[in-house]
Amino acid sequence: MNLALKDIRHGLFRFVLTCFGLGLLMTVVLAMIGIYNGLVADALAVVEAPAADVWVVEAGTKGPFAEASSIP
């Protein structure tokens, strides 16, 4: 422990910069996790909101949420 304190006193700027970098890294990771969970929750809410039992989609299209389709 004594050696670690001496190292911190010797390179205080480097220690503070490393702590700042690790804090920034953790912030970015938590933000990415939050954004991903929000996207998943939003996608599930869009699909579950109509409460449809069956989806009817025109052949050759990418689906009801990706592009419009017209079925006569």
Side-chain angles (χ1 to χ4, degrees), residues 4-72:
L5 291 176
K6 284 183 181 179
D7 187 43
I8 290 171
R9 284 188 198 124
H10 175 69
L12 181 63
F13 178 71
R14 186 170 59 177
F15 174 75
V16 170
L17 193 62
T18 302
C19 288
F20 177 73
L22 288 174
L24 188 62
L25 176 68
M26 292 299 295
T27 303
V28 168
V29 168
L30 289 174
M32 288 174 62
I33 291 170
I35 290 169
Y36 174 76
N37 287 335
L39 287 173
V40 169
D42 189 41
L44 290 176
V46 166
V47 172
E48 293 172 354
D53 293 329
V54 177
W55 290 102
V56 178
V57 180
E58 183 180 357
T61 61
K62 295 180 182 177
F65 301 110
E67 63 181 282
S69 64
S70 59
I71 299 177

